[in-house]
Amino acid sequence: MNTMLQVRIDEDLKIQATMVYEQLGIDLSTAVRMFLKKSVAVNGVPFELKNDSSLDKAIAAANSMRARSEEKHNDEMDLDEINAIIKKARSEKK
């Protein structure tokens, strides 16, 4: 059973996309079906989504933590030393 899907898009986008898909030998409807089938196959959007502002915030946070670590001179601690500090802090909370 087939059903119809209507989507509102900018006319220029439709023209440009149609031209791209025609060069690949498919029409726009086929391209949309391919997108939907791939979405189902990967259980999500079939391409990477990015939020650059989130990435910028994460980088800023990492840089801030690195700077604080260097200020406290614990930037060269190994994992055993870090775990010992965490264990001590947890036991002091009890």
Side-chain angles (χ1 to χ4, degrees):
M1 178 171 148
N2 288 331
T3 185
M4 181 179 281
L5 172 67
Q6 293 183 351
V7 180
R8 292 190 184 276
I9 59 171
D10 181 85
E11 181 68 22
D12 289 337
L13 176 60
K14 180 182 177 187
I15 292 168
Q16 291 173 4
T18 299
M19 290 171 55
V20 168
Y21 293 122
E22 282 178 356
Q23 290 175 356
L24 297 172
I26 60 176
D27 61 14
L28 192 55
S29 293
T30 301
V32 171
R33 280 192 301 279
M34 290 171 67
F35 172 81
L36 295 174
K37 285 183 178 186
K38 185 68 171 181
S39 296
V40 171
V42 301
N43 196 29
V45 178
F47 49 82
E48 185 177 355
L49 297 176
K50 292 184 180 182
N51 183 341
D52 292 337
S53 65
S54 295
L55 180 59
D56 292 341
K57 289 177 185 177
I59 291 170
N63 289 336
S64 174
M65 287 187 288
R66 181 179 297 113
R68 283 184 286 171
S69 179
E70 290 171 357
E71 286 172 10
K72 295 183 180 208
H73 305 289
N74 59 9
D75 55 318
E76 294 183 16
M77 293 174 66
D78 64 25
L79 187 55
D80 291 333
E81 293 170 311
I82 294 168
N83 285 332
I85 291 171
I86 293 170
K87 185 177 180 179
K88 180 180 177 189
R90 286 180 178 164
S91 67
E92 290 173 356
K93 284 186 177 182
K94 292 179 182 178

